[in-house]
Structures are given as structure tokens and as C-alpha cells.
Amino acid sequence: MADNKKNPKSPRVPMPEQPAEERSHNFNEVTLGYTYEMALEEAGRCLQCKKPLCQSGCPVEIDIKSFIGHLAEGDIPEAYKVIKNTNALPAVCGRVCPQEVQCEGSCILGKKGEPIAIGRLERFVADTFTADSACEMLTGDVACSLPNDHLKVACIGSGPSSLTVAGYLAARGVPVTIFEALHEFGGVLVYGIPEFRLPKEIVAKEISALWTKGVKFMPNWVGGRTITIQDLIDDGYDAIFIGVGAGLPWFLNIPGENLVGVYSANEYLTRINLGRAYDFPNYDTPAPHPRNVAVIGGGNVAMDAARTALRLGAENVYITYRRTMGEMPARAEELHHAEEEGVKFQLLTSPMSINGDENGRVKSMTLQVMELGEPDDSGRCRPVPVKGETSELDVDMVILAVGTGANPILLEATPDLDLTKWGYIKADPETGETSIKNVFAGGDIVSGSATVISAMGAGRKAAKEIAARLGV
Amino acid sequence: MENKIVVKKSLIPGQTSMLVIDAPQIARKAKPGNFVILRVHDKGERIPLTIADTDPEKGTITIVYLVVGKSSAMLETLKEGDCIPDVCGPLGKPTHIEKSGTVICVGGGTGIAAMHHIAKGHHQAGNHVVAIVGARSKDLLLFCDELGCFCPELLIATDDGTHGHKGFVTDILKERLEKDKDVSEVVAIGPVPMMEAVANVTRPFGVKTTVSLNSIMVDGIGMCGACRCSVGGETRFACVDGPEFDGHKVDFNELKMRLSQYKDQERTSLELFRKDHG
């Protein structure tokens, strides 16, 4: 029997994980999740603050205090209901949110010691239920009815923002149809984030829960090509949500970028994750098997690509980043995991050129040595080249994880849509509405590359507005 | 989404077939130059194939494929009435078609099928379409009857001389360009060396030359950059910026190198498939 007493001074319960030397050779999930006892012990550290700061840090407004309170009392179903009430994808968020800068970043316990492991607790609660039963759990019905079947809403893209919109509206009885360009649903959750960080099974369960609630999923429908916004308006959709992400990979425009062996992180991860290329030839999509890999960038995507390359048998994997560890945008946990698994960090270096052999294949990369200068507008120290100092790195593959821009397909097909000067969709920050009436947008296609949870936050705002307009 | 194979016709036994597929949502939108991405089975790879024709009223699209790797070999095992799990499209920018006078459309191998759709578009726009098609031998020629219906000139070249001119499509093209100074555009679709040769022939004539690049693709919707190619010194994505580009500006050597990057794995896949399926 777990001790239910509040114990804020005890240390944060560590997360069980696969040992680094073992996990760097498989695609199984790195972190194994709390047991019931661990979850109760960790929940018991929560102070149940009168004015909980954690909640203001959560983009989807989870009632964190309440869910942890129920959990500490051992009432997991009630904790699940609280979370699921505002978050359509708790098992996902518990795994991939940057908690250290959101909920946990605001936790009062963090001032002196370690904050509550809110993400881990959210994951525990979500994992305790198969998401298939979510509908029953929340409403008492096995299949949710759609009482408002005179209404219809369309979502373009099936990533986290659209799934949130669908979850919110389906819970209010509105039929939602999600159009997805790829053959699998989940957007970045399936093509971008590797299995060892977010198992496909988890995403599939959350999607199946939405399906049980009556959400319709249409694969292979490309927004802007197979179906346009105007088609949907003509078809009588009451509201349309655009959540197509920002998927166009950026390149650096340095010499050698089109050599064989140079990949965008998007291509590399899509091959491995969506195409299951790690299981070639059981699956048909081929993957490269280099020995020495350089990944350019310092975000989560760079860490994902680097750790994937290790798992596919690369001997040396380098992260080349133009600042230092302290400025890296990746989640603290991912950085830590990458280091443990043996990813090498080439800090304060910036690629100048990628060099090829006579067959057009990558053989090395030339790096400019950098140093940190004065802080720039973002408040981070600006990397400045150290004149004349370069280094050479022998690599047979280079992965560019330097960001993505707005994909042009839907935007070109929708000339009435106002865009920002960076080419993203202009949307009202309060409602998510675009320049076209009743057409909403959210997630990376509005904000530029951001996080799963911020996309979900945008989806939630838009869904609330849509629900209000539809009177549900 | 069920994409049933309505008609299957073997054009060159064991090598090239034509499928008419039920895909109303694509048929409604597809224009000449567009392509689709298919997945033939649940563990399959996403493969791009050009749309050779559409029938918006019946809701069908036509594709023609050459059996080269595992995916196309599996596609070849499907029969009329079977369904293809995933058909996604229409993708790519449609061919730029306007009334401009005389257009020469050059097609080689299975590229003739894609060329057919574009030639038809030019014909419908009121252009005088000259079709030049080539293959190794008479038995490997495709779509000649169909092209004959709307092309006032259909010129044929075979490597072995079994039909038409003995030699290459480029021989006929050069002769035609020397004779006729008013050709407004040359469109070439086929194997990379053929498109490169066409671009080399037309360059001295200064005639606008469009080629359709068959780069390796993964998503086909501008997300991965696998299909990038250098055109006039700039990196372009064949899937969203193309697949058609100015043939005089394409870096064909780079394209050839990038196309060969998965050769070993493609061979492994096909060998395993053949072993399992006789």
C-alpha cells in the first residue's frame, strides 16, 4: 500500500528507463513509465497550492492540481477524466511536452528543489486506460452519439492541432471529418517523432478513441490538391480548421547539399518512422546505413535524427551546433538521453560546405569554428565565426535539422488566405480565425515550427470559438 | 478509401501494364503533368507514378508502369477488381499549357504514357501537336493508336528499326526542328538520358524545352526534400515546384546520381520478392 501522505520534501521519483547501451540498439521506448506505487509517491509530493502556478503554464489548460489530487488519493479514473476533459492526447503530451518550460517550469517546488513530475504523472494516468474506452469512460456510452448531426466541421491535416479540434467538437456531438494527405494519421506524431520517444501504438490508441467518438478520418486527401477550402465551403461545412503544420524543410544553401547522403531531417525521419525503414526489408522503404553521421541543428528533431542514426548502427554520430549546450532548444530530457546513448557534440561549429567523392557521395564536412558574442534580439548569445579557423569532419551522411517553413500546397490553392510576412497563415490570436470567414488555422502553419502542445493549445482555442459559433 | 482496379491491360507482357483505377476525387482534379503516389500493400513504399489519363465522369484515372522493383512487381500481381490500399493525388504542378502553335511532344519507354496526357492537353488547347515516340523495338511502343487520334504527326523511332526510323527520337527531333523554325515548345518525358539528349538537341535551336523529372520521392507533398534537383543553379523540389522544369537548366548528372542512391536496397527487395513469389 502506497503512502498517501503529502511529502513535498522527498526527492522526485526517478523515471525507470532502458539502460543506454541497450536502448541505443533498439526502437523500443526509452522511458518505461511509473508503476502505481511510483505514481502515488510522486503525486504525494504535490502541495495542492491554493493558486496553482503550474496550470497557467499549460497551453491546453489541464486542471493539474485536481488531477494530481485525485491521483494522490488513488482515484485514477477521476484523474483521467480531469485530464481528458481538456486534453485529447494525454498519453502523447505526457511523453513529448517540454514540461520543464511549461507546467513543471512554474511549479513552486522547483524554486528550492525539484518540481512535480507532472508529465510523468499525466503519462501514467493516460497509460492506465486503454484510450479505446475513453468514450465510455467520459460519457457512460460505448459509442458516443452525434446529436448535432446537422452540423459538420472539417479539419485539414491530422496532427496534434486537428486532433484537438476534433476531440473538442466530437465531445459536443459535432461530426468532424479529418482529411490527411499521408496514408497514416497523426501528422508529426507519426512521421516525425521516433518510436523510442513516442510509440506508434500510443498515437493509434488516441486516434482510435476519437474514431469511437464518431470522428471520420480520410487518408490520402491532400488539402489544396484533392480537396480545396472552396470545395469544403461549397460542400456546406460549417467550419474548417487548417492544421497542416510547417513541413517544408529548410536547407542552408551551402555547397554540396544535393550530394547523395545529405538528408533533410524530415526525409530521414519520415523514411524511418512513417515508412518503418528500420525494419527493411520486412518493410519496403529503404534507409541509408552510414558509419559516420553529422546532424546539423540543436532542437528535438536533431536529437531524434541523431539517436535514430545510432540505432541504425552508425559508429559515430555528431551533433554540430553553432552555439553551446546551454542554448540548445531541445528538451532537457532528450539532450540528456542523447548524451547517455553516445551522441557526440561538436559545439560552436557551423557547416561551411559538404564535400563529396567522385561518385557524388558525401565524404566529409568543413566546419567553421564559432565563438559566442554579444546577446542578440532573442536574448541568446550570437555565434560569431572565429576568423580563419575551420575543421574537417569525416562523415558519410549529413542530416539537416535546421527548421522548416510553410508548405506551399494549400496556401497556393487558397489565394484568399492572408499570410504573414514569413509566409505562415495569419490567424486571429484569440479565435484562430483566418481572413476567410469560418475558416480557422492553428499549429505550426500559423506559428512556425513549435511544439506539439502549443499546436494543441491553438487547436483548443479554435475549437472553443467554433463550438460557440455553432451553439454547442 | 477503396481504389479499385477497373481495367488492367498488359501493354508489354511482364514489363509494362496499364491500370484504370477508380479514384473519383483524383479524377475530378487531375490535369496533364500531375502524378499520384501509390502504396501497393501495408508494408509498402510510397511510389510516384504519372497520371496517363483521366475520366472525370467515370471517376477513374489511368496509370502506366514499368516493372522495375518490388513495388511495381507487386502492382503487377493485382488483378481487375482488386483494390490498391493507398492512392494519393493529384500531385505536382500541372503542365503549363497555352495556345502557342506547334508543340513537339517526345516520349520514350513508359514515359510515352505520361507524354500522352500532356499531348492531349496541348491538342485540346488548340495546338498543332507533333508526337515523337521511341523504344528499343516495335513491341515496346505504347499509346501509338491513342496518339494517332489527335496528333496530326506521329513520328516513330526504334533502336532496331523494326518500326519507323531506325535510331533515336533525337534524330527525328533534330530533323523536324531544322525543317520547322516555328516550333514553340518541345516537351520530353522518358528515361533521364533521353531527356538530357533532347535538351542537348534543342539547345542550339533556342526552343523552349520542358522535361518531367522522375526524382526519388517519399511524401510527394513538399515535406521531405528527397526529390530536390538543381535547376539553373537553384535547388528545387520536383514534387511541388515541378515535376516539369526547363530542360536546358536541369543538372542531369546530379539527377542520375541521386536516382541511383538506393540501388542496392531496391535489388535486395526485388530478389526477396521474386524468391517468395517464384
Side-chain angles (χ1 to χ4, degrees), chain B residues 62-99:
Chain B
T62 302
I63 56 161
V64 172
Y65 58 90
L66 176 69
V67 178
V68 275
K70 181 184 173 183
S71 299
S72 45
M74 275 193 93
L75 195 56
E76 186 63 1
T77 65
L78 299 181
K79 300 179 292 293
E80 278 180 11
D82 289 347
C83 285
I84 300 171
D86 298 294
V87 183
C88 172
L91 302 169
K93 278 200 167 46
T95 310
H96 178 77
I97 293 176
E98 58 179 4
K99 188 160 190 232

Side-chain angles (χ1 to χ4, degrees), chain A residues 181-183 191 218 220-222 225-228 231 247-249 251 257-264 266-267 270-271 274 280-289 359-361 407-409 412, chain B residues 1 25 28-29 39 41-46 70-71 85-93 216 218-219 221-226 228-230 235 237 240 254 257-258 260-262 265 268-269 272:
Chain A
L182 296 174
H183 58 266
Y191 76 74
M218 308 284 280
N220 303 312
W221 284 69
V222 185
R225 294 255 201 244
T226 323
I227 199 151
T228 62
D231 292 335
L248 191 81
F251 290 86
E257 270 182 319
N258 290 351
L259 288 165
V260 172
V262 182
Y263 287 78
S264 74
N266 257 13
E267 178 187 353
T270 302
R271 281 184 177 280
L274 184 74
F280 178 88
N282 191 22
Y283 281 78
D284 295 345
T285 305
H289 288 274
N359 299 317
R361 293 186 170 270
N407 186 300
I409 293 184
E412 281 175 4
Chain B
M1 184 57 53
Q25 76 283 9
R28 207 167 51 210
K29 298 277 181 184
R39 245 171 36 112
H41 66 126
D42 282 350
K43 294 182 175 180
E45 185 178 12
R46 297 171 65 86
K70 181 184 173 183
S71 299
D86 298 294
V87 183
C88 172
L91 302 169
K93 278 200 167 46
I216 290 178
V218 183
D219 55 80
I221 50 172
M223 278 176 37
C224 78
R228 61 195 192 275
C229 44
S230 295
T235 294
F237 290 0
V240 287
E254 184 186 276
M257 269 166 2
R258 291 190 63 83
S260 67
Q261 56 186 311
Y262 295 105
Q265 282 116 314
T268 308
S269 254
L272 283 172

Side-chain angles (χ1 to χ4, degrees), chain A residues 162-185:
Chain A
S162 285
L163 294 178
T164 302
V165 172
Y168 190 93
L169 293 171
R172 283 150 187 83
V174 179
V176 180
T177 304
I178 296 188
F179 295 95
E180 165 58 50
L182 296 174
H183 58 266
E184 228 175 288
F185 302 104

Side-chain angles (χ1 to χ4, degrees), chain B residues 190-202:
Chain B
V192 179
M194 184 209 92
M195 293 192 287
E196 186 177 17
V198 166
N200 287 338
V201 164
T202 59

Side-chain angles (χ1 to χ4, degrees), chain A residues 3-319:
Chain A
D3 180 5
N4 286 354
K5 268 187 291 182
K6 283 200 191 110
N7 200 359
K9 288 200 174 136
S10 62
R12 181 170 154 124
V13 178
M15 181 63 132
E17 36 189 57
Q18 280 194 70
E21 56 279 11
E22 200 176 292
R23 72 182 191 237
S24 57
H25 300 290
N26 67 52
F27 276 82
N28 300 334
E29 196 168 12
V30 167
T31 51
L32 304 172
Y34 278 167
T35 61
Y36 178 74
E37 286 73 22
M38 289 173 179
L40 251 63
E41 188 187 336
E42 181 63 22
R45 294 175 62 229
C46 179
L47 293 171
Q48 292 287 302
C49 307
K50 257 205 183 103
K51 285 186 187 155
L53 297 173
C54 51
Q55 278 162 231
S56 56
C58 175
V60 297
E61 310 165 304
I62 296 178
D63 188 347
I64 296 169
K65 174 183 171 179
S66 161
F67 106 73
I68 295 183
H70 290 302
L71 178 57
E73 285 162 14
D75 189 351
I76 306 170
E78 210 41 55
Y80 184 68
K81 274 190 199 171
V82 171
I83 299 174
K84 200 71 189 180
N85 200 25
T86 63
N87 186 352
L89 311 168
V92 173
C93 292
R95 287 170 165 85
V96 304
C97 274
Q99 287 96 2
E100 72 262 26
V101 294
Q102 292 178 334
C103 52
E104 295 177 16
S106 315
C107 174
I108 197 85
L109 285 182
K111 299 260 186 263
K112 281 190 176 161
E114 287 182 298
I116 294 287
I118 300 168
R120 295 172 185 176
L121 294 179
E122 181 184 19
R123 168 180 165 171
F124 168 78
V125 173
D127 284 0
T128 304
F129 294 92
T130 58
D132 293 317
S133 67
C135 199
E136 192 176 4
M137 176 88 234
L138 294 172
T139 63
D141 291 332
V142 175
C144 290
S145 54
L146 293 171
N148 295 305
D149 61 2
H150 59 290
L151 300 170
K152 54 179 187 175
V153 172
C155 294
I156 301 183
S158 68
S161 65
S162 285
L163 294 178
T164 302
V165 172
Y168 190 93
L169 293 171
R172 283 150 187 83
V174 179
V176 180
T177 304
I178 296 188
F179 295 95
E180 165 58 50
L182 296 174
H183 58 266
E184 228 175 288
F185 302 104
V188 72
L189 306 175
V190 296
Y191 76 74
I193 305 177
E195 294 253 27
F196 56 81
R197 205 147 76 77
L198 179 64
K200 296 265 177 310
E201 194 196 350
I202 299 287
V203 182
K205 273 183 183 169
E206 301 281 29
I207 284 170
S208 124
L210 289 172
W211 188 80
T212 322
K213 280 192 190 174
V215 176
K216 216 163 140 192
F217 287 91
M218 308 284 280
N220 303 312
W221 284 69
V222 185
R225 294 255 201 244
T226 323
I227 199 151
T228 62
I229 299 293
Q230 193 57 51
D231 292 335
L232 292 167
I233 294 171
D234 295 346
D235 284 353
Y237 279 89
D238 298 286
I240 298 156
F241 178 79
I242 304 171
V244 293
L248 191 81
W250 282 340
F251 290 86
L252 294 169
N253 292 318
I254 57 171
E257 270 182 319
N258 290 351
L259 288 165
V260 172
V262 182
Y263 287 78
S264 74
N266 257 13
E267 178 187 353
Y268 186 64
L269 292 171
T270 302
R271 281 184 177 280
I272 311 292
N273 299 330
L274 184 74
R276 317 305 201 258
Y278 59 84
D279 199 6
F280 178 88
N282 191 22
Y283 281 78
D284 295 345
T285 305
H289 288 274
R291 294 174 70 172
N292 301 303
V293 182
V295 181
I296 301 168
N300 288 328
V301 176
M303 299 307 139
D304 286 344
R307 296 168 69 197
T308 298
L310 271 183
R311 282 159 172 78
L312 285 177
E315 288 165 23
N316 296 295
V317 179
Y318 308 94
I319 291 269

